[in-house]
Amino acid sequence: MKIVAAKVIVTSPGRNFVTLKITTDKGIYGVGDGTLNGREKAVVSYLEDYLIPALIGRDPHQIEDIWQFFYRGAYWRRGPVGMTALAAVDTALWDIKAKAANMPLYQLLGGRSRERIMTYTHANGRDLESTLEAVAKAKAKGYKAIRVQCGIPGIEKTYGVAKDNKNYEPADSDLPSVETWSTEKYLNFIPELFAEVRKAFGPDLHLLHDVHHRLTPIEAARLGKELEPYHLFWMEDAVAAENQDAFKLIRQHTTTPLAVGEVFNSIHDCRELIQNQLIDYIRSTIVHAGGITHLRRIADFAALFNVRTGCHGATDLSPICMGAALHFDYWVPNFGIQEHMAHSEQMDEVFPHAYRFDDGYFTPGEAPGHGVDIDEKLAAQYPYKRACLPVNRLEDGTLWHW
Ligand code: KDG
Ligand code: MG
């Protein structure tokens, strides 16, 4: 088999998605997600100008060699743009291989290790009351695990909370909008929020929370400790993780489980966190961490240290990433949980898929490949529109972590 064509499709059915489609001389094609929220065009250029020309004529079955060729061959290793482009290629190649074998992708990875995939969704509200309502709604849909984010009294706009009760969408404007942050107000409120959620919903529901990189290590340690009575499934991205040592301090002070890694793109970003057992869940997923080939390496390494997976699954990861991640989750022995932030109907129409939700769990479906396609005609109706992630400033104007 030979690769005869590859093209990038950019579509914006409510938000921007980048898709790579690779076609072979046998008529089989594969698709991969290459969406990097707010920086989509950088990945498009990386693919069109550098990777696609080198793909034409290659045997798509040589996934490992193609991966190494683009990783080592770039000389400039790692980084979100390059690793996202590489992930798009890798995902499309696995799709082709599984279609050629006439098997669902999870079978090629080693077969399924579970019957269904536990998934968490988001419950967000502007205040305590609307947040409790959002949790009740998510629970009624069957979710066994729910990420809870809430507006903070005294702060106008908070991460994870949408304006008009719509689904939360992080990339909200043509140029970065500005949010305001107060660590004091946040830390004073969050333990109370989880006390109320536990009081209302009892001990069984899995509760998660995303700090979104905003605390210092000692502040994160305080929050983790104060949340201990509410038995969180995890506290995510407690601090910015460029400094992996920061987690040592958090770990010394709290038994609240820690998750990190949605912005990581290589095993080297989490090696120390994992081998020193400073985290419990690794959040990296296929599209931003070099595809299935590389994520599998991260997961196998994590398994040696009792660290489980918790793949990122926000709306800015296309249904192609979701589908591929679900095949990965079905197989991976050290699976923890999968995030699911629902795509709109429009998005689901552009990306028809075989995966299904039932009572809090997903299954990837039995279609050959990863089971997600792109309707190119429909995709063409939604042109790209620049959309940026917000920035965050302290109340005195200092730029902070978003
Ligand atoms: O593009 C940024 C989003 O994917 C991110 O803000 C979502 O933190 C996130 C999460 O945990 O889903
Ligand atoms: Mg997150």
Side-chain angles (χ1 to χ4, degrees):
M1 195 155 37
K2 268 194 173 36
I3 296 172
V4 290
K7 67 174 173 186
V8 181
I9 303 157
V10 183
T11 180
S12 193
R15 70 153 0 275
N16 295 318
F17 293 113
V18 175
T19 304
L20 175 69
K21 180 168 179 174
I22 299 179
T23 308
T24 66
D25 58 350
K26 297 278 180 281
I28 298 176
Y29 66 87
V31 292
D33 182 21
T35 310
L36 184 61
N37 202 6
R39 294 291 184 270
E40 295 87 359
K41 291 285 188 92
V43 180
V44 174
S45 161
Y46 201 103
L47 285 165
E48 288 182 344
D49 295 330
Y50 307 103
L51 303 195
I52 289 176
L55 272 174
I56 308 301
R58 297 249 5 205
D59 174 0
H61 280 308
Q62 282 190 288
I63 299 176
E64 187 65 52
D65 188 65
I66 291 174
W67 197 95
Q68 299 295 340
F69 182 87
F70 285 140
Y71 182 78
R72 292 169 196 241
Y75 184 61
W76 312 106
R77 296 181 186 194
R78 304 161 62 183
V81 176
M83 292 301 272
T84 300
L86 187 43
V89 172
D90 187 79
T91 308
L93 294 180
W94 276 103
D95 193 26
I96 290 171
K97 194 185 267 300
K99 282 175 177 169
N102 198 26
M103 281 182 180
L105 173 59
Y106 73 83
Q107 292 289 15
L108 260 61
L109 296 174
R112 69 178 170 88
S113 304
R114 54 198 50 80
E115 285 166 16
R116 50 193 187 157
I117 296 156
M118 185 166 75
T119 311
Y120 74 91
T121 192
H122 295 191
N124 321 312
R126 289 183 72 82
D127 51 27
L128 196 52
E129 200 189 328
S130 53
T131 304
L132 292 176
E133 279 168 21
V135 175
K137 254 195 209 162
K139 194 168 176 270
K141 284 184 188 157
Y143 286 99
K144 313 292 180 257
I146 300 175
R147 184 187 96 153
V148 184
Q149 308 292 137
C150 180
I152 307 297
I155 305 183
E156 208 197 314
K157 226 175 133 206
T158 311
Y159 165 76
V161 181
K163 278 172 236 153
D164 355 287
N165 256 356
K166 284 194 192 136
N167 279 348
Y168 177 66
E169 174 51 61
D172 64 356
S173 55
D174 180 47
L175 289 175
S177 64
V178 182
E179 294 177 359
T180 314
W181 179 249
S182 159
T183 296
E184 296 72 27
K185 288 175 181 145
Y186 171 80
L187 284 179
N188 287 338
F189 177 67
I190 293 297
E192 183 191 329
L193 167 70
F194 280 93
E196 291 300 323
V197 176
R198 272 287 174 238
K199 201 155 55 166
F201 297 96
D204 290 342
L205 194 62
H206 295 305
L207 299 178
L208 301 84
H209 181 66
D210 192 345
V211 182
H212 226 248
H213 325 271
R214 286 159 189 211
L215 300 178
T216 63
I218 198 69
E219 289 162 352
R222 168 182 153 191
L223 182 62
K225 204 169 179 174
E226 291 184 4
L227 289 175
E228 279 171 21
Y230 316 116
H231 298 151
L232 263 58
F233 188 93
W234 78 35
M235 175 168 82
E236 177 188 344
D237 285 343
V239 295
E242 286 101 328
N243 174 15
Q244 299 187 26
D245 268 353
F247 282 79
K248 284 188 188 150
L249 194 141
I250 307 172
R251 205 54 154 180
Q252 275 164 21
H253 290 282
T254 181
T255 56
T256 293
L258 302 174
V260 67
E262 69 182 35
V263 300
F264 293 171
N265 44 69
S266 120
I267 196 164
H268 304 288
D269 297 324
C270 49
R271 184 170 55 82
E272 289 164 43
L273 290 174
I274 291 172
Q275 75 189 13
N276 295 323
Q277 300 183 60
L278 299 177
I279 57 170
D280 302 281
Y281 296 93
I282 180 71
R283 297 265 297 130
S284 308
T285 193
I286 287 164
V287 60
H288 300 139
I292 293 158
T293 298
H294 194 63
L295 191 64
R296 192 155 73 155
R297 239 148 241 159
I298 295 177
D300 280 341
F301 178 62
L304 301 180
F305 302 94
N306 292 317
V307 174
R308 295 194 284 161
T309 64
C311 284
H312 187 203
T315 37
D316 46 288
L317 285 55
S318 94
I320 296 175
C321 178
M322 184 69 185
L326 287 168
H327 282 269
F328 182 83
D329 296 337
Y330 220 26
W331 156 73
V332 70
N334 49 325
F335 171 74
I337 198 165
Q338 167 69 50
E339 181 179 16
H340 176 238
M341 196 174 158
H343 290 110
S344 68
E345 244 173 69
Q346 230 175 7
M347 295 172 195
D348 283 338
E349 275 167 21
V350 173
F351 296 98
H353 50 75
Y355 58 80
R356 292 282 170 269
F357 175 80
D358 181 34
D359 197 31
Y361 296 87
F362 270 91
T363 43
E366 294 297 318
H370 55 49
V372 189
D373 207 344
I374 180 164
D375 180 332
E376 289 187 63
K377 268 201 190 130
L378 203 54
Q381 291 177 20
Y382 303 109
Y384 169 80
K385 193 166 168 276
R386 187 175 59 202
C388 296
L389 291 169
V391 296
N392 208 14
R393 290 189 185 276
L394 301 182
E395 287 168 308
D396 70 358
T398 307
L399 197 81
W400 200 242
H401 311 283
W402 177 70

